[in-house]
Amino acid sequence: MTEPRTDPTTALRRAMWLGLLALSVLAAAALRHQLVWGESERMPWLLPLLNTCEGLGLGGFVVLMALAWRAALRAAPACTVRELLRRSWPLLALAVVVPLIATTDPIDYVVRGRILTVHGANPYTHVATGFPDDPFLGFGDRGWKDMPLPYGPLVANLQGVIAWLAHLLPVSPRVELLAALLLTKALFAASLWVASLLLARVAEVLRPGAGNAAFVAIAWNPLFLFEGVVNAHNEPLLLLLLAATLAAATAQRYAASVFALGCGVLTKIVPVLLGPALLVKAIRDRRLGGFALGGALLLPLVAAGWWQFFRDEGALDVVRRQGELAGGGLWWAVSQATGLEVAALVGVGRGAVVAWIALTMWRLWRRPDAEQLVFAFASTLGLLALCGAGLFCAWYHLWWAPFALLLGRGYLYRVALVASVVTPLAHLLWVTVRRFDEPAQWLGVSMAVVVPLLGGLLLRGPRSAPGRAARA
């Protein structure tokens, strides 16, 4: 006699508790990372023990969250939207309060926000070390305090508002920083939540019945929670704007789509490469007027950004500086192995990206449907992240993987599945022994790039609920 299958609602609830356990394990590792080092002459064994436990904490999170994600994907198609939302928000809420573990970047977000709203300076032309009396110079990685803001004007103002709100509190600088970080993480958690809802609507357009699983694929994703909420990289904000771009385009609301894409470019310059594909889709849908209207609506924002920041001499150097960064990526690894210059390899990669954009435009012209547009988003941003720069960071997967997960099949989809699970392990040497040298870079390349690319080749067929929903 076979046992009765677990009710989908019960299965989703169990998956939620497993996910909360995963985040709790990560929180314990993060508290050690932030508060306890353990070096002692009297107990020389303590430091290796704590390092091992912290590494096990990261590994435990990866395993437990992957199991929770898998279980939720299986249960999602048979659950109501209300039940999905009810079981999802506790994960995001807990991820907000888990301390930073693999980065100090969000601290620099706050520090650069203070340059704008506390010190009244331009964060594109002034650096934090230019304000030596600021107590926040003692927080985070000192090396980044000499770098101007590398993001767009929307991020500059958002960071400034968060820093200003936290500065209003009558508390010590450390508590002020904690308040600013919590505000930042809450904003990014909300961005991931709304982006998941928008992309679930897109999934319904692609395959009726796939929306619930698509929501879980993004909102419960181990990598997205780890990099986008726990470690609070600003990619969820970019993802939200790209999700709005895609959702509006699939509904043929091109004014809103172009406006959202432009806001994405004002967040990070990355989405500008999606403009050609969106233009082709608008032409084929005979919505060129809406496309032009969206561009016109962007002009006041562009003008305001220029007036506020970029009319100052040297402010636009941010574009050049970002292109000069190298380390931990595909071209860095090739350079290490062959001795070729990273800059030359990046040039080849950017040529490949341009060629690919032309190909996606041709594909969209021939078949202007929603699936082709989703594929254009996923493939263009994925190729850019991999080949378009000398630096690859684990959180760059948030540029493209959410869109690949909507496809439900194919190589990009399989790479996104593998990357969502194994990429957090790229930080293993950093979270254990604070190493960020060549061995740590090689581990990052292996877990964030090589293993996902090979895993996409080894996996066969859809492995999750989105794929099964497509066949249902």
Side-chain angles (χ1 to χ4, degrees):
M1 178 181 294
T2 60
E3 296 183 2
R5 295 183 62 183
T6 304
D7 174 68
T9 301
T10 301
L12 186 67
R13 184 180 71 250
R14 291 175 178 173
M16 178 198 72
W17 284 109
L18 186 59
L20 292 174
L21 175 62
L23 286 164
S24 298
V25 170
L26 184 64
L31 286 170
R32 184 267 160 159
H33 190 86
Q34 296 292 343
L35 301 178
V36 180
W37 181 235
E39 194 169 19
S40 170
E41 293 182 359
R42 295 180 58 188
M43 295 180 289
W45 48 266
L46 181 59
L47 179 59
L49 176 63
L50 290 174
N51 287 344
T52 301
C53 289
E54 186 174 335
L56 290 173
L58 176 60
F61 162 77
V62 168
V63 172
L64 293 172
M65 196 66 229
L67 291 173
W69 189 44
R70 182 172 180 263
L73 283 169
R74 288 182 168 183
C79 293
T80 65
V81 174
R82 181 178 179 180
E83 186 67 17
L84 280 177
L85 299 179
R86 179 187 174 196
R87 300 302 178 187
S88 300
W89 73 260
L91 294 172
L92 290 163
L94 182 55
V96 167
V97 298
V98 174
L100 303 175
I101 184 171
T103 186
T104 59
D105 284 2
I107 296 175
D108 293 315
Y109 297 169
V110 178
V111 172
R112 294 189 184 114
R114 288 173 62 84
I115 292 174
L116 177 62
T117 54
V118 176
H119 301 296
N122 185 341
Y124 293 97
T125 57
H126 293 76
V127 297
T129 52
F131 305 93
D133 294 331
D134 193 320
F136 278 52
L137 287 179
F139 302 134
D141 188 344
R142 180 79 180 189
W144 290 106
K145 302 295 189 296
D146 288 317
M147 184 174 179
L149 179 69
Y151 309 118
L154 289 186
V155 173
N157 283 298
L158 184 62
Q159 291 176 172
V161 168
I162 290 174
W164 174 73
L165 288 173
H167 192 62
L168 293 177
L169 299 174
V171 294
S172 67
R174 190 171 296 275
V175 176
E176 181 182 334
L177 173 64
L178 180 61
L181 289 176
L182 288 174
L183 281 172
T184 300
K185 295 177 78 171
L187 174 66
F188 293 166
S191 297
L192 183 62
W193 174 275
V194 178
S196 303
L197 291 171
L198 291 171
L199 292 179
R201 294 173 60 182
V202 175
E204 286 289 338
V205 174
L206 298 180
R207 298 179 307 280
N212 282 5
F215 173 82
V216 169
I218 297 162
W220 290 54
N221 190 288
L223 176 62
F224 303 169
L225 287 170
F226 182 77
E227 297 290 8
V229 184
V230 171
N231 287 313
H233 293 288
N234 55 30
E235 265 60 28
L237 183 62
L238 178 66
L239 175 60
L240 170 61
L241 294 168
L242 293 180
T245 300
L246 189 58
T250 54
Q252 297 193 5
R253 296 195 294 269
Y254 282 97
S257 182
V258 171
F259 184 80
L261 181 64
C263 289
V265 174
L266 294 175
T267 298
K268 287 190 175 183
I269 198 169
V270 168
V272 73
L273 298 182
L274 302 176
L278 194 63
L279 175 61
V280 170
K281 185 72 165 59
I283 293 173
R284 295 290 278 138
D285 287 342
R286 298 182 180 180
R287 295 291 190 275
L288 195 55
F291 189 97
L293 176 59
L297 293 173
L298 276 171
L299 291 178
L301 282 182
V302 174
W306 177 83
W307 181 262
Q308 185 181 10
F309 299 116
F310 299 118
R311 62 192 176 115
D312 293 347
E313 184 179 355
L316 287 172
D317 288 350
V318 59
V319 178
R320 174 186 54 79
R321 284 192 300 266
Q322 286 298 96
E324 293 174 350
L325 296 175
L330 177 65
W331 296 138
W332 175 88
V334 173
S335 176
Q336 293 291 309
T338 65
L340 296 173
E341 291 291 333
V342 172
L345 294 168
V346 170
V348 173
R350 289 176 178 172
V353 172
V354 172
W356 185 256
I357 291 171
L359 179 60
T360 58
M361 293 171 68
W362 176 74
R363 287 168 59 106
L364 270 166
W365 186 265
R366 292 187 63 210
R367 191 180 131 197
D369 59 20
E371 186 174 16
Q372 282 297 317
L373 187 60
V374 173
F375 177 79
F377 272 50
S379 60
T380 300
L381 293 174
L383 191 63
L384 173 65
L386 186 66
C387 299
L391 176 69
F392 180 86
C393 299
W395 48 94
Y396 291 0
H397 283 308
L398 273 78
W399 298 357
W400 72 276
F403 308 106
L405 291 170
L406 297 184
L407 296 172
R409 56 189 171 86
Y411 178 67
L412 282 181
Y413 170 72
R414 298 193 298 270
V415 173
L417 285 179
V418 177
S420 297
V421 174
V422 305
T423 298
L425 296 175
H427 301 289
L428 198 56
L429 281 177
W430 168 246
V431 304
T432 53
V433 292
R434 309 298 203 271
R435 289 190 66 162
F436 203 63
D437 54 0
E438 190 168 310
Q441 296 295 308
W442 278 111
L443 179 65
V445 173
S446 300
M447 292 295 101
V449 178
V450 177
V451 172
L453 291 177
L454 292 178
L457 292 173
L458 296 175
L459 287 179
R460 287 291 179 266
R463 299 290 185 186
S464 73
R468 286 196 294 273
R471 297 195 298 271

